[in-house]
Amino acid sequence: MTVRVVLADDQPLVRAALRMVIADESGLEVVGEAGTGAEAVALAEKECPDVVVMDIRMPGMDGLEATRLITRGPGGTQVIVLTTFDDDDCLYGALRAGAAGFLVKDMALEDILDAIRVVATGDGLLAPSVTRRLIRDFADRPVSQAPSARPVGGITEREREVLALVGGGLSNTEIAERLSISVATAKTYVSRLLSKLDARDRVRLVIIAYESGLVASGR
């Protein structure tokens, strides 16, 4: 199965570099390029790609607004934000807009290609440094700044355990080891949580775990 990709970046050289690398990869195909957020939205509507690789700073409509419009559309297109601006405003803005991935441009090209494949399957992926910062930021919040706990309903006690571990940043393999279950079973629990909680990806599960109080601030 070929993953269809749209590249959205206002720098032609960046798009050209990504296009050349993707062209050499089996299973990946660039079906369009955009230099603005508005062009990215139009291409997503026209081509219905599996993944849009989206820059943030672009003229006119920026990448965050474009991401919001694309992820709320009916096509099921996933968005990876790929930016040089590795700051909290960009990170949280991208997550709130519905991005399934947040990567920085100094990552190895092979890692970016792997991220496209992962996000195309419906999973979420963040650059390792970003994941650590996201979890640390939630965990280090004073109680006065923590969001009010919102109970999570409709899940079993075991699923609640898994959600707490996802919120702690554990991988499926680590969850399986912690709960003495198989990796396949851990994956099944995570898939059920994604469905029951109407979460687009694993990143949303992390946020839900903190917002629900399953992972305490300062933990």
Side-chain angles (χ1 to χ4, degrees), residues 124-148:
L125 191 145
L126 303 176
S129 61
V130 172
T131 301
R132 289 191 293 270
R133 192 171 80 236
L134 175 66
I135 293 173
R136 185 174 62 246
D137 179 61
F138 272 112
D140 289 346
R141 286 180 181 179
V143 174
S144 61
Q145 294 182 15
S148 300

Side-chain angles (χ1 to χ4, degrees), residues 1 3 22 30 38 59 76 81 130 133 139 194:
M1 178 178 175
V3 176
I22 290 174
V30 175
V81 167
V130 172
R133 192 171 80 236
L194 289 169

Side-chain angles (χ1 to χ4, degrees), residues 65-88:
E65 179 61 21
T67 296
R68 187 175 297 109
L69 293 174
I70 290 171
T71 57
R72 291 180 180 178
T77 298
Q78 304 285 352
V79 176
I80 294 176
V81 167
L82 178 63
T83 179
T84 56
F85 301 97
D86 181 15
D87 58 50
D88 287 346

Side-chain angles (χ1 to χ4, degrees), residues 167-184:
L170 275 66
S171 67
N172 289 339
T173 299
E174 292 168 330
I175 291 171
E177 293 174 352
R178 182 71 63 88
L179 299 180
S180 299
I181 58 179
S182 69
V183 175

Side-chain angles (χ1 to χ4, degrees), residues 56 64 67-68 71 79 81 88-102 124-126 130-131 134-135 138 200-204 206-207:
I56 289 181
L64 297 182
T67 296
R68 187 175 297 109
T71 57
V79 176
V81 167
D88 287 346
D89 287 342
C90 291
L91 169 60
Y92 290 108
L95 297 182
R96 285 192 295 267
F102 187 97
L125 191 145
L126 303 176
V130 172
T131 301
L134 175 66
I135 293 173
F138 272 112
R200 284 177 58 90
D201 49 56
R202 200 181 190 93
V203 175
R204 300 311 181 283
V206 172
I207 294 172

Side-chain angles (χ1 to χ4, degrees), residues 20 42 47 58 71 89 96 120 167 187 189 199-200:
M20 286 189 295
E47 298 291 344
M58 291 186 288
T71 57
D89 287 342
R96 285 192 295 267
K187 289 181 179 179
Y189 278 123
R200 284 177 58 90

